[in-house]
Amino acid sequence: MVETQPVRRATNSGPGRLLIAVYLLFAIAATSRAGLQIATRFDEAPVAYLLSALAALIYIVAAVGLARAGHTGRRVALACCSLELVGVVAVGILSLADRELFPDETVWSQFGSGYGYIPLVLPVLGLFWLWRTRRDPA
């Protein structure tokens, strides 16, 4: 009888490559937006602009975690996707409930409506992909 090790699919293969590409695209978009806003209009809406910078950082780290595909990479990606989902839901609710709280939009304002709601869907897809590529029970 041959014992087999549980198989773990790589997070950076198949559809995971597309997911990583979308995370990188959003990292570039959010970094560019936050950088420009912080450099030129920081005093107008500092919380909104810092939240966009935080979103950019989370997108970068999530992409790296998914691309690394090892145990540490999976844990990093899981933490980032979870934090991202909590952030987009919290900021989405707050931005609808109190528009004065965010005088300018963030990446996550109104659940990412300015980006076609992809910021709301992306962490769900990331968490789903991490679940799909988990270690299969032997």
Side-chain angles (χ1 to χ4, degrees):
M1 177 188 269
V2 176
E3 288 187 38
T4 59
Q5 291 288 335
V7 177
R8 180 181 299 215
R9 296 182 209 131
T11 57
N12 62 0
S13 65
R17 290 182 180 171
L18 178 61
L19 187 63
I20 293 166
V22 173
Y23 264 106
L24 289 173
L25 178 67
F26 269 74
I28 292 166
T31 301
S32 300
R33 178 183 184 157
L36 181 65
Q37 290 171 325
I38 289 170
T40 61
R41 306 182 322 203
F42 184 72
D43 58 326
E44 293 177 22
V47 173
Y49 302 152
L50 289 173
L51 280 171
S52 287
L54 175 64
L57 179 64
I58 290 171
Y59 292 142
I60 292 166
V61 176
V64 170
L66 289 166
R68 286 203 50 206
H71 178 71
T72 302
R74 291 179 64 80
R75 294 185 87 174
V76 166
L78 178 62
C80 286
C81 291
S82 300
L83 180 60
E84 178 189 357
L85 183 58
V86 168
V88 75
V89 169
V91 171
I93 290 170
L94 289 171
S95 65
L96 291 173
D98 185 2
R99 295 194 187 268
E100 291 179 14
L101 188 59
F102 297 100
D104 199 359
E105 290 190 0
T106 73
V107 175
W108 294 339
S109 291
Q110 299 174 13
F111 305 102
S113 65
Y115 289 87
Y117 297 99
I118 294 172
L120 179 61
V121 175
L122 194 57
V124 174
L125 291 175
L127 291 169
F128 176 74
W129 184 244
L130 288 166
W131 176 77
R132 284 276 292 158
T133 58
R134 73 195 184 286
R135 190 179 303 262
D136 290 334

